Amino acid sequence: MTSPARKPSRIQTENRQRIRDAALGLFATHGFRGTTLDQIADACGMHKPNLIYYYDSKEAIHIDLLNTLMEEWLSPLGAMDAEGDPLEEIIGYIRRKMEMSRLYPRESRLFANEIVQGAPRMLPHLESTLKPLFDKQCGIIATWMKDGKIAEMHPAHLIFSIWAVTQHYADFEAQIAVLLPGDDKRAKGADQFVEMMFRKVLTP
Amino acid sequence: MTSPARKPSRIQTENRQRIRDAALGLFATHGFRGTTLDQIADACGMHKPNLIYYYDSKEAIHIDLLNTLMEEWLSPLGAMDAEGDPLEEIIGYIRRKMEMSRLYPRESRLFANEIVQGAPRMLPHLESTLKPLFDKQCGIIATWMKDGKIAEMHPAHLIFSIWAVTQHYADFEAQIAVLLPGDDKRAKGADQFVEMMFRKVLTP
DNA sequence: TCGTAACTTTACCAAATGGTAAAAAACTTG
DNA sequence: CAAGTTTTTTACCATTTGGTAAAGTTACGA
């Protein structure tokens, strides 16, 4: 009873992408319930029933977005290499996370919304995809610590604090913009601060 | 044209509180648009029109919540005392923030939702209430640094990182629960990690 | 180029939702 | 306890919203 699953046409690929791009911005700033199909249709210059032609439902768009983006969102974590220099591997990870916060704030906020609200559509994905990767990288970090390459601490909480600090700049940008106006050197100052902070924490 | 503004009756005070309490939990987990008046009415055992008797609109409930809670939410920041011991003042602040993350996760998520979505109903309040306090406390921290009591760094980014790390435990609890199961000693481990981390960062 | 499959548009619908009107009930106070 | 005020309930409404039906249009391979 499953559909033939033929290769999607050029138009299909393009339009699905247009929909995802429009939906990403809207879901990120208004949340799932706060975004309407009409808004998405407007934002990508399509008509509402056309959306449903490409996606079964509003929820299907949301789920597809989460699934599509999760992979690349997590890729920097997996890039931490057990063979590399411990301190530089972690600092490199932090730099990439800061860069992502700046380049992809929509993605950051999409996940922030989802998880703040209890991850109703992502919990299984967290279990199956994030958890194993997380455990593996925690293991690598633990080894580095045992070998005395970096200071000893709870690896999981270390990763939490990296996520918290780096993503904060994307997720809470509205607040930061009020408290630290004059956006010129804000990003640079943030980068420098965060790197200094974690270097200090990680140095044995 | 303003109403007489008589002292609210006992029933009024009680019922407004009931409404706020129910709405807090719902707004925190489903966001503003994701929460319906019917849900709030259900959660506090009242009928929908009764809510409107006490609050002009759904938005009025939300705004009242934000305004009511902002004060106590920020109070620990203001409690940092210029006369106290610098390191212990900041660590004390961090401890209070961790405690609040544990005791009042609903409040934390309410603000997280609001700010992730661009603070549509709170921007003026951030400008008028948070900004002055923030600037003042940044000044105190800067003085401590100049006096060599704690390590030198950008005070604003220091506060951001404290907010990020402490609130992360409330706002992203769903994710943390997946990645670090066995909730027994989680809170204690988090407290110890965060305190260790900032002590290290702040020590000159 | 012709026929068919893929895609788009128009018109529509049922349910959900924020809110109102007004009657009924409960409480307060002289 | 009676009169007036506050609070609660019932019935209702207009709009919004996710989604459908089906006709119309375009793209594309034989």
Side-chain angles (χ1 to χ4, degrees):
Chain A
M1 220 52 183
T2 40
S3 61
R6 308 235 321 256
K7 189 164 92 180
S9 73
R10 177 187 52 86
I11 290 182
Q12 237 173 80
T13 314
E14 276 177 16
N15 281 350
R16 269 185 223 261
Q17 186 51 47
R18 263 170 71 198
I19 294 171
R20 273 197 302 265
D21 188 62
L24 171 55
L26 290 162
F27 284 144
T29 42
H30 305 299
F32 178 73
R33 284 286 309 272
T35 302
T36 70
L37 283 176
D38 285 305
Q39 284 177 305
I40 301 175
D42 253 27
C44 65
M46 291 169 96
H47 290 215
K48 188 164 58 170
N50 214 352
L51 299 183
I52 299 301
Y53 175 76
Y54 288 107
Y55 284 98
D56 285 344
S57 65
K58 180 172 123 175
E59 191 166 20
I61 303 176
H62 195 235
I63 291 174
D64 189 37
L65 262 182
L66 292 173
N67 289 343
T68 304
L69 297 174
M70 181 117 178
E71 219 176 321
E72 49 177 311
W73 189 248
L74 290 183
S75 65
L77 178 60
M80 267 196 306
D81 179 15
E83 305 304 317
D85 175 71
L87 184 57
E88 292 315 312
E89 286 293 322
I90 298 180
I91 294 292
Y93 175 54
I94 290 165
R95 283 214 194 103
R96 252 167 274 134
K97 285 291 289 179
M98 286 299 283
E99 189 183 29
M100 289 180 76
S101 227
R102 207 174 314 121
L103 296 178
Y104 310 112
R106 296 182 307 171
E107 282 81 348
S108 191
R109 287 188 203 120
L110 180 80
F111 289 120
N113 263 302
E114 171 70 7
I115 295 177
V116 167
Q117 306 195 359
R121 289 170 249 277
M122 236 180 50
L123 264 193
H125 217 285
L126 292 181
E127 282 280 9
S128 66
T129 306
L130 175 56
K131 182 80 162 48
L133 176 62
F134 178 81
D135 287 342
K136 185 181 155 216
Q137 300 310 82
C138 276
I140 293 177
I141 292 175
T143 308
W144 288 338
M145 290 176 181
K146 256 178 211 143
D147 294 351
K149 308 284 192 184
I150 52 177
E152 291 228 41
M153 66 195 72
H154 197 310
H157 288 290
L158 171 64
I159 292 182
F160 293 157
S161 71
I162 292 173
W163 287 348
V165 171
T166 57
Q167 292 174 10
H168 187 86
Y169 285 100
D171 300 343
F172 290 69
E173 195 194 321
Q175 180 172 250
I176 292 176
V178 168
L179 298 180
L180 212 61
D183 17 327
D184 284 354
K185 306 184 297 175
R186 206 160 68 207
K188 205 173 163 188
D191 281 355
Q192 284 174 354
F193 172 86
V194 173
E195 181 165 342
M196 173 281 289
M197 173 170 174
F198 281 103
R199 266 190 201 283
K200 217 162 169 179
V201 169
L202 290 168
T203 301
Chain B
M1 221 50 183
T2 39
S3 60
R6 305 234 322 255
K7 191 164 90 179
S9 71
R10 178 186 51 86
I11 290 182
Q12 240 173 76
T13 314
E14 276 178 17
N15 281 349
R16 269 183 222 262
Q17 186 50 49
R18 263 170 71 199
I19 293 171
R20 273 197 302 265
D21 188 62
L24 171 55
L26 289 162
F27 285 144
T29 43
H30 305 299
F32 178 72
R33 286 286 308 272
T35 301
T36 70
L37 282 176
D38 285 304
Q39 284 177 303
I40 301 174
D42 253 28
C44 65
M46 290 169 97
H47 290 211
K48 188 164 58 170
N50 214 352
L51 300 183
I52 300 302
Y53 175 76
Y54 288 107
Y55 283 100
D56 285 344
S57 63
K58 180 172 124 174
E59 190 166 20
I61 303 177
H62 195 234
I63 291 174
D64 188 37
L65 263 181
L66 292 174
N67 289 343
T68 304
L69 297 174
M70 181 117 180
E71 219 175 320
E72 49 177 312
W73 188 247
L74 290 183
S75 65
L77 178 60
M80 267 197 306
D81 179 15
E83 306 304 316
D85 176 70
L87 185 56
E88 292 315 311
E89 285 293 323
I90 298 180
I91 294 291
Y93 175 54
I94 290 166
R95 283 214 194 103
R96 253 167 273 135
K97 285 290 288 179
M98 287 298 284
E99 189 183 28
M100 288 180 77
S101 228
R102 207 174 315 122
L103 295 178
Y104 310 112
R106 296 181 308 171
E107 282 81 346
S108 189
R109 286 189 204 120
L110 179 80
F111 289 120
N113 263 301
E114 170 70 8
I115 295 178
V116 167
Q117 306 194 359
R121 289 171 249 277
M122 238 180 48
L123 264 193
H125 217 284
L126 292 181
E127 282 280 8
S128 65
T129 306
L130 175 55
K131 181 79 162 48
L133 176 61
F134 178 81
D135 287 341
K136 185 182 156 217
Q137 302 308 82
C138 277
I140 293 177
I141 292 175
T143 307
W144 288 338
M145 289 175 181
K146 255 179 211 143
D147 293 350
K149 308 284 192 185
I150 51 176
E152 290 229 41
M153 66 194 72
H154 198 309
H157 288 290
L158 171 63
I159 292 181
F160 293 157
S161 70
I162 292 173
W163 288 348
V165 171
T166 56
Q167 292 174 10
H168 187 86
Y169 286 99
D171 301 343
F172 290 71
E173 194 194 320
Q175 180 172 252
I176 292 176
V178 167
L179 298 180
L180 212 61
D183 17 326
D184 283 354
K185 305 186 298 174
R186 207 160 67 207
K188 205 173 163 188
D191 281 355
Q192 283 175 354
F193 173 85
V194 172
E195 181 166 342
M196 174 281 290
M197 172 170 174
F198 281 103
R199 265 191 201 282
K200 216 162 169 178
V201 169
L202 289 168
T203 301

